[in-house]
Amino acid sequence: MKTYLFKEKYGDLINDLIKDFEEQTNSKYIIGPDALRLLELLCEKMKFTPGMRVLDMGCGIGITSIILAKEYGVNVFANDLWFSASDNYKRFVKAGVSDLVVPIQADARSLPYASDFFDAVISIDAYHYFGTDECYFSSHYARLAKQGGQYGIVCPALTREFTEGLPDGLASLWEPEMYAWHSASWWRNMWQKTNLVEVTNAEEIPNGKALWRETADFELHNADTENFLTLMLMTAVKK
């Protein structure tokens, strides 16, 4: 079984930050697939060096941004639409990375960044919320990284596309936003056909279904008897 080093190194810190969030908001932190593990899997396919500018799109409460800063010494722009930049800044101060992480609250279609600004652009468990539009990547996302810059995403995914409607077992549990889940080959084609990037990896995460089920969507996975559900990882380099 794979050992996840980020979980071992930063698990206590992240648990403390989640506890603070729950106490301050009087609400339960919604956990999807384990962000620390997904980030580590993506980082294994990318290269980060101190001083790089990295955009973390859909950072949530900033967990992935904190780890990127601590682990690699990169300058992170922590962008999320739903979570307050001021609240995230407090977490970055507590985590000791406020000199490296800039909190931003902005919509994916109104990003306040210069073109060719970033060395790398990543998104953990968020890109599918805004990136399935055929024109989104070419119109918005591709401009963000400089030539030779890296892109990386990890998303909930399908092992294969639905060609005959939803499987019977999943139909009663399916929510409209789940139609944003697609196969790794579907995502590869979405980016590659723009001719703006060279896709370097587009693959299902090994044991992705089991990894996802450890922390979220248990009932949905139990109903997935035909094994459609998984996680996917994709990386690319800007031409």
Side-chain angles (χ1 to χ4, degrees), residues 133-206:
D133 181 332
E134 284 281 336
C135 297
Y136 179 78
F137 186 79
S138 57
S139 298
H140 298 279
Y141 216 59
R143 72 172 183 82
L144 298 171
K146 61 184 65 175
Q147 185 177 15
Q150 304 170 82
Y151 287 92
I153 63 173
V154 183
C155 294
L158 302 177
T159 58
R160 57 212 186 272
E161 295 295 312
F162 297 130
T163 57
E164 299 179 2
L166 288 171
D168 291 341
L170 295 177
S172 65
L173 299 171
W174 205 256
E175 301 290 341
E177 64 269 17
M178 295 176 185
Y179 284 106
W181 299 346
H182 289 283
S183 64
S185 60
W186 187 94
W187 282 109
R188 173 188 285 275
N189 181 62
M190 169 73 84
W191 282 16
Q192 192 71 42
K193 69 184 179 182
T194 67
N195 201 35
L196 297 171
V197 293
E198 183 65 35
V199 175
T200 49
N201 293 283
E203 59 197 48
E204 290 179 29
I205 291 176

Side-chain angles (χ1 to χ4, degrees), residues 44-66:
E44 290 173 356
K45 304 289 186 179
M46 301 178 71
K47 183 177 181 180
F48 297 104
T49 55
M52 288 175 62
R53 285 197 293 256
V54 180
L55 175 60
D56 185 4
M57 276 291 295
C59 68
I61 65 170
I63 289 172
T64 47
S65 301
I66 290 167

